[in-house]
Amino acid sequence: MANEGMWNRTRQAAIAEISAIAMDLFLERGFEVTTFDDIATAAGISRRSLFRYFGTKEDIVLVHLADEGKLALEALEARPDDEPVWTALLNVLLLIDDGGGDRERLLKISEMMYDVPSLRSRSLEKHLQWQSDLLPEVKRRLGAASGDLQAAAVIASAVACLDAAGEIWTRSRGQIPLSHLLTDAFDAVQQAAR
């Protein structure tokens, strides 16, 4: 079992390194122009090895989104049980902070995400996985009378708020904090539902 843990850590380190190298190429040359061969060469691995880690260029950019769904679930489970589910989801999504890291790099990555149709589409697919990840906990928080539809609708609304806030943050070049935009989006949906 110890070997399994070491293998997994080694694989995760390789994925992180390849992702960083590829992201540099995407931002320098453009997503659509950069090829798998370019990434493999820059990473010092074969094209075949690269395919062992990633099936598509989109997967390289979005590798972190799948993990964020699981992290969001852990954060939601840690929220107080008496906190309304909509407030709990907002507080979980507020953990996605636009203030960390290199702001210009984050903006360039976000612009790429919103400008490249295949990335935008795959990003939405990854967010759908969040719906599956969060569904049991949101359903539990809504109570015994709620079903999958109610829980799925609440999660989809929250993720749509995140996406809308992210796009406005990107288009404003980060002039408005993402946390403010996300809170405003959640408030807008809540007011419209009244």
Side-chain angles (χ1 to χ4, degrees), residues 49-77:
S49 293
L50 181 59
F51 273 111
R52 285 189 201 134
Y53 293 107
F54 303 101
T56 66
K57 291 191 303 182
E58 290 81 4
D59 289 339
I60 297 171
V61 175
L62 301 171
V63 68
H64 67 284
L65 276 183
D67 292 337
E68 285 181 357
K70 292 175 182 67
L71 294 174
L73 173 59
E74 290 173 13
L76 183 59
E77 289 172 340

Side-chain angles (χ1 to χ4, degrees), residues 18 34-41 43-55 57:
I18 294 166
T34 303
T35 66
F36 253 77
D37 288 330
D38 295 334
I39 297 164
T41 300
I45 59 175
S46 70
R47 180 180 168 92
R48 186 176 189 172
S49 293
L50 181 59
F51 273 111
R52 285 189 201 134
Y53 293 107
F54 303 101
K57 291 191 303 182

